[in-house]
Amino acid sequence: MVGDRIVGAAVSSTAQERAWVLRLAIARQWRGHGIGSALPAGLEKRLAQAGVRRIGALLPEGEVGEQAFKNSGYTGRPI
């Protein structure tokens, strides 16, 4: 959030100790300001607190947020 405006969000699905990030959204005018890289870190922290030990991101190639996950150490794998 910036002030009272939501400028980014991440959505995940969990099953026991495993989570999948399904969507990462960043308001167009806020892209390139580090929010995309902060979202995976914040999500990882919350998922770890919930007992998740493995996280995968299910983002199509070229999807908003793809670079943010690469910046956070995630690697791509062809489907």
Side-chain angles (χ1 to χ4, degrees):
M1 290 186 72
V2 175
D4 61 348
R5 296 192 71 195
I6 296 173
V7 297
V11 177
S12 68
S13 176
T14 60
Q16 291 136 13
E17 293 185 351
R18 180 89 176 152
W20 295 267
V21 181
L22 306 172
R23 178 71 67 187
L24 188 75
I26 306 159
R28 188 172 310 279
Q29 64 270 30
W30 287 96
R31 294 179 190 165
H33 290 87
I35 293 170
S37 296
L39 284 171
L43 183 60
E44 288 169 359
K45 182 178 177 181
R46 292 184 69 177
L47 290 171
Q49 290 171 343
V52 169
R53 300 290 171 244
R54 293 183 63 194
I55 302 170
L58 302 174
L59 301 175
E61 191 173 334
E63 180 78 13
V64 169
E66 178 185 23
Q67 190 60 47
F69 279 98
K70 288 180 181 177
N71 293 346
S72 297
Y74 287 77
T75 58
R77 184 168 56 170
I79 297 176

